[in-house]
Amino acid sequence: MPAPSSRISGISPSGKDGWEVHFAAYKRKIAGEDIMMLSVGDHDFPTPSETVEACIKALRDGYHHYTPLPGLPRLREAMARISTESTGVETTASEVLAASGGQSALFAAAHGVLDPGDHAIVVAPYYATYPGTFRSAGAGFTVLEARAEDGFEPRAEALEAAVRPNTKAVLINTPNNPTGAVYSRETLEGIAEVCRKHDLWLLSDEVYWTHCGADGGRKHLSPRGLAGMKERTLVINSLSKSHGMTGWRIGWLTGPKDFIRTLINLNLVSTYGLNDFVSHAAIAAMENRYGVEQIAGLYSARRAAFLAEMRCFNEVVVRGSEGGMYVMLDIRAVDPDCERFAWRFLHAEKVAVMPGASFGEAAAGHLRISLCQPEDKLREAAARLRRFIATYPAETNA
Ligand code: PLP
């Protein structure tokens, strides 16, 4: 066959061998073994029944047709209302582009601001699709490691040092996957300052914005709300996490009106608009906030329950872990090789977790634990982890 394009061949999944722990665990689980899967992040519960019913009704009511390229007007209005709430900046429907999930919004953002040969900066540890998304746009990128000791928040000086003459954009994610870090105002002000100084776009992935602050912890702050940032910030959002709708593929990009107008052409040549009946279900879900408080509360309670088991345990240091759907445990005092630790933990205790090294250098020596399991299972996993560490082979540290 003729060769595929280098842009497409270049979209290889990121992350190193750590994912093999997950795949091996998954294989054993579907073969019938009782493995606890704390390695991936998809809800362990279905979409709220009200949303499902709204979708069935929309199907019965004949919503089977093409929809406007940037999204149905009422869908964009509902998205704009959420953007107003989540970013603190009054947002209109014309500043919103509906997309097939947060990933598609991220793709639109990357293609909207980067030409082949341009450079971007991505803060690590990061969500696995980020490098491939930049590569698909033909852009190069620098990985800026946010240090564990800084709670996985990036330093402005390090960001500034990574800027090159052809840098066009910076990509951040708060609340963060995989670290659970929720960026402070100071961190975001520092990032914003660099973006303003070097005239950069800031791509801000905020898909976990409802998953923090419920229990008095740090609240989500969007850099879009900082001085001089509205015109250079593109916010990626989605109903996947906040509304329990991962499989429905509804997300959106918020940005300057003129930019969004140009970007509508991307929907023309890619998706040709969203699914009609799913859009109607999404409108109902957003207008009525179906599941939002319950889901946020559930993850908050799970995080608190799991961390309570870990915080009184000296061998492990909790880093980040203030929001999102994961917690990050620093196990360097037990074994600096988190991949080896994860394999051994799987074999000995039948619990699958992700080695932090899969998400970049900064997370090496850590474990990422998914909170997508009921609270009692998470407590059980914590008990197994403690038992396992107590008898961990001493020669490993030699
Ligand atoms: N951004 C982050 C940080 C994520 O963790 C995910 C999914 O896990 C996404 C974006 C994409 O989400 P979706 O495409 O389901 O909206």
Side-chain angles (χ1 to χ4, degrees), residues 54-271:
C55 185
I56 293 168
K57 181 170 181 328
L59 256 175
R60 294 217 164 100
D61 288 349
Y63 291 110
H64 306 163
H65 299 278
Y66 289 126
T67 59
L69 295 176
L72 287 165
R74 198 163 156 190
L75 182 79
R76 292 175 88 194
E77 276 156 27
M79 289 168 167
R81 272 195 298 279
I82 294 184
S83 290
T84 299
E85 185 185 346
S86 65
T87 70
V89 179
E90 196 60 46
T91 308
T92 61
S94 55
E95 293 169 299
V96 157
L97 179 78
S100 316
Q103 179 56 42
S104 185
L106 179 65
F107 182 88
H111 283 252
V113 303
L114 295 164
D115 280 315
D118 282 346
H119 174 254
I121 300 169
V122 54
V123 176
Y126 50 66
Y127 176 51
T129 67
Y130 288 177
T133 307
F134 286 136
R135 284 191 212 111
S136 76
F141 59 91
T142 295
V143 174
L144 175 67
E145 302 281 353
R147 297 168 7 156
E149 285 67 21
D150 294 337
F152 293 115
E153 293 189 52
R155 293 184 182 192
E157 319 83 84
L159 177 61
E160 171 108 50
V163 175
R164 297 182 189 168
N166 62 339
T167 305
K168 294 280 166 55
V170 176
L171 171 56
I172 62 168
N173 168 219
T174 177
N176 187 273
N177 172 12
T179 67
V182 179
Y183 290 4
S184 68
R185 176 174 288 276
E186 193 191 351
T187 295
L188 290 167
E189 290 282 10
I191 294 169
E193 174 64 31
V194 174
C195 291
R196 285 188 301 257
K197 182 171 164 195
H198 296 277
D199 194 23
L200 307 178
W201 286 101
L202 180 59
L203 277 45
S204 182
D205 182 341
E206 303 178 16
V207 302
Y208 293 101
W209 78 278
T210 53
H211 285 40
C212 65
D215 45 4
R218 194 180 274 169
K219 287 199 162 46
H220 171 68
L221 179 67
S222 171
R224 182 169 180 252
L226 302 179
M229 291 306 289
K230 185 186 164 186
E231 58 264 37
R232 62 178 68 257
T233 304
L234 301 176
V235 178
I236 291 107
N237 213 333
S238 162
L239 297 187
S240 290
K241 319 294 176 178
S242 55
H243 292 67
M245 294 176 69
T246 51
W248 299 64
R249 314 310 303 133
I250 296 277
W252 69 100
L253 190 68
T254 305
K257 193 164 78 181
D258 292 343
F259 176 80
I260 293 293
R261 193 184 307 122
T262 309
L263 214 53
I264 290 172
N265 290 329
L266 189 62
N267 281 7
L268 171 74
V269 297
S270 57
T271 56

